[in-house]
Amino acid sequence: MSEAVQHDWQRRSLRAVWHPCTQMARAERVPPLPIARGEGPWLYDHQGRRYFDANSSWWVNLFGHADPALNAAIKHQLDTLPHVMLAGCTHEPAVRLAERLSARTGGVLGHLFFGSDGASAVEIALKQSFHSWRNRGRDTKREFVCLKNGYHGETIGALAVTDVAVFRDAYDPLLMQAHIVTSPDQRLGNEQQALDDLRALLSERAHHVAAVIVEPLVQGAAGMVMHAPSYLRQVRALCREFDVHLIADEIAVGCGRTGTFFAWDQVAPASAQDWPDFLLLSKGITGGTMPLSLVLTTDEVYQAFWSDDVARGFLHSHSYTGNPLACAAANAVLDRFDAGQLTANQQQAGLLTAAFAPLASHPQVSHLRQRGTILAFDVTTKVERFSERFHLAAREHELLIRPIGQTVYLMPPYLIDEGAAAFLAGAVQASLEEVLHAA
Ligand SMILES: *Cc1c(COP(=O)(O)O)cnc(C)c1O
């Protein structure tokens, strides 16, 4: 296939497709990469060039592209029952998925509500938290607390608990005002300050606060900002002390990403009291095949809606709620974890650690950090539009990667062997040198 075909798709796309997270005027200069097909960690363009999908296509693709087992599960479901509404009906893939995820929380988060994208799961959790307090006669509790630089999606409610200026500022007049507290950042060693800040807020406002929302262990869109499980354990305790819900947004970090199935597993929950009140999954749960999101919650929240009065129920829905194809894909993802995926993930994390270790001594690299198969480092440079330049340089090294500001990160599919780790480290290093020397 030729360069002409490649350019034709770019031209037609720029004319007809409004691309996400993109200033379209800029896209004219950095046209989208037309991808013809995917196989394993590789994406292929129309010229036969290949690119290693180092960010798992926005963190969703766990087992590579066109994984045979996931595809087979979806194809089987497609021939059986592609969709049925989940109000008034139910189906095996949804029931099995709910039971299996509940079991992974020891039954503590035993009620599963389905959404479609990550942002819809956030909306659902915010609404359920508020409405459950209201049903229990606590209707002053209608405010939310989120962390500095936190990201929870881009619909109006989710954006209100998101603190990323470029996504949020234009819509600020439309958004409910959330409380933003210090985010723990291992680079700053500020865990205690973050906890003190939250305690101070809750001491004053708990009567009005419905929930605190956090991204456990890694604040992804902030630039892979990491903190320790000890922070989460204490946030859990604070939320209990002040009678405020805790929402764990594991949309990015769930499904084995940080080395355990849930990031929250690293808090080592020993009793029901140690779990969050809500746990959200999306992105990886279908291995990058179908849009699906999930809100897991407790019996306590669920019971607050239990009534003969319809209006006390949670009447939220989306047309594709609990889509069987998506649930079948998610069940196939869970099959992988039942078959020992976490052991593989831990080995792969070790390979990444070893391959990237030499970067730590690079004079313009700082804070090389890792949680499971998320690896990141910060680059000190005055090069303008570093992220865009790095992305373009990396393409020439068969690497698809999009730094966040001056943070370069990898969140690759769970297909890392020694060769892949060496390839990634080599391609990152080469791209980095080219961008730095262009300065
Ligand atoms: C991506 C993300 C979301 C939003 O998910 P979408 O599917 O993009 O709506 C919410 N929270 C976190 C932590 C995310 O990384």
Side-chain angles (χ1 to χ4, degrees):
M1 281 298 203
S2 70
E3 206 173 317
V5 175
Q6 187 87 348
H7 288 153
D8 192 47
W9 284 120
Q10 289 181 325
R11 193 179 47 76
R12 287 167 61 187
S13 190
L14 287 177
R15 198 188 300 154
V17 179
W18 197 336
H19 288 266
C21 203
T22 300
Q23 168 49 266
M24 292 303 291
R26 187 85 135 243
E28 293 281 339
R29 267 177 283 155
V30 189
L33 192 59
I35 298 299
R37 66 186 185 88
E39 190 183 328
W42 297 99
L43 293 163
Y44 294 83
D45 69 13
H46 293 270
Q47 289 171 272
R49 287 213 212 108
R50 63 175 197 172
Y51 307 90
F52 194 106
D53 190 356
N55 298 157
S56 299
S57 281
W58 262 348
W59 323 345
V60 302
N61 188 280
L62 302 190
F63 307 111
H65 295 277
D67 174 75
L70 261 55
N71 283 6
I74 295 167
K75 285 174 186 166
H76 172 75
Q77 190 59 41
L78 187 62
D79 288 333
T80 313
L81 176 71
H83 188 64
V84 63
M85 62 187 168
L86 201 61
C89 298
T90 193
H91 54 81
E92 181 194 322
V95 175
R96 285 187 58 227
L97 181 58
E99 289 174 350
R100 295 171 84 182
L101 287 171
S102 162
R104 283 185 174 275
T105 68
V108 176
L109 301 174
H111 302 278
L112 185 155
F113 199 95
F114 289 95
S116 35
D117 294 285
S120 65
V122 172
E123 301 285 342
I124 288 162
L126 299 179
K127 284 177 69 179
Q128 285 185 339
S129 172
F130 162 75
H131 196 171
S132 70
W133 288 121
R134 184 164 183 259
N135 280 350
R136 287 157 58 192
R138 314 269 310 262
D139 46 11
T140 58
K141 289 169 90 65
R142 59 171 80 154
E143 296 172 7
F144 296 96
V145 179
C146 57
L147 300 191
K148 183 129 193 56
N149 301 323
Y151 180 88
H152 300 285
E154 314 207 22
T155 52
I156 300 281
L159 203 51
V161 290
T162 287
D163 181 43
V164 180
V166 332
F167 300 139
R168 188 195 147 104
D169 281 1
Y171 309 98
D172 197 64
L174 300 182
L175 306 177
M176 65 176 172
Q177 295 304 304
H179 301 283
I180 299 170
V181 293
T182 305
S183 104
D185 182 342
Q186 276 180 343
R187 293 172 300 188
L188 307 175
N190 65 348
E191 180 175 312
Q192 193 53 47
Q193 187 200 332
L195 289 163
D196 291 347
D197 196 18
L198 180 60
R199 172 177 284 281
L201 176 72
L202 293 181
S203 311
E204 206 179 291
R205 269 327 269 183
H207 186 57
H208 298 275
V209 173
V212 174
I213 184 166
V214 297
E215 294 165 85
L217 298 183
V218 184
Q219 287 185 290
M224 304 302 149
V225 175
M226 301 182 181
H227 57 256
S230 55
Y231 169 77
L232 299 171
R233 207 169 295 128
Q234 295 186 71
V235 169
R236 177 61 286 185
L238 276 174
C239 289
R240 294 248 178 256
E241 181 182 337
F242 289 98
D243 210 13
V244 162
H245 287 144
L246 176 58
I247 304 171
D249 176 351
E250 298 219 4
I251 288 166
V253 295
C255 303
R257 207 23 108 178
T258 66
T260 44
F261 183 77
F262 297 119
W264 203 271
D265 290 328
Q266 293 177 47
V267 177
S271 80
Q273 294 296 300
D274 301 332
W275 284 90
D277 300 280
F278 298 88
L279 192 151
L280 318 182
L281 292 177
S282 185
K283 292 205 164 99
I285 189 64
T286 62
T289 57
M290 303 285 299
L292 178 71
S293 65
L294 309 164
V295 177
L296 294 157
T297 192
T298 61
D299 201 45
E300 192 183 350
V301 169
Y302 181 76
Q303 289 301 335
F305 293 85
W306 188 270
S307 164
D308 283 330
D309 178 1
V310 172
R312 286 175 66 95
F314 189 62
L315 304 186
H316 187 102
S317 66
H318 298 284
S319 309
Y320 281 93
T321 295
N323 174 253
L325 295 170
C327 292
N331 276 308
V333 166
L334 293 188
D335 290 345
R336 289 293 235 295
F337 286 95
D338 288 349
Q341 182 67 43
L342 285 177
T343 310
N345 283 23
Q346 283 150 15
Q347 281 162 355
Q348 295 181 31
L351 293 173
L352 288 173
T353 311
F356 280 82
L359 257 186
S361 52
H362 190 292
Q364 281 163 277
V365 167
S366 57
H367 302 295
L368 179 62
R369 55 194 181 274
Q370 192 178 354
R371 281 280 182 285
T373 50
I374 305 174
L375 182 143
F377 59 88
D378 303 333
V379 179
T380 310
T381 172
K382 294 208 160 63
V383 171
E384 276 174 34
R385 303 199 317 278
F386 170 82
S387 168
E388 184 180 298
R389 282 169 195 263
F390 191 94
H391 168 75
L392 290 174
R395 280 192 197 180
E396 299 301 315
H397 294 281
E398 300 191 320
L399 181 64
L400 192 64
I401 191 166
R402 284 168 58 107
I404 299 173
Q406 295 194 185
T407 298
V408 176
Y409 75 93
L410 291 96
M411 214 194 274
Y414 305 157
L415 295 170
I416 304 302
D417 55 16
E418 246 171 86
F423 163 79
L424 288 170
V428 164
Q429 183 104 35
S431 309
L432 184 63
E433 292 311 331
E434 282 171 27
V435 173
L436 294 179
H437 287 134

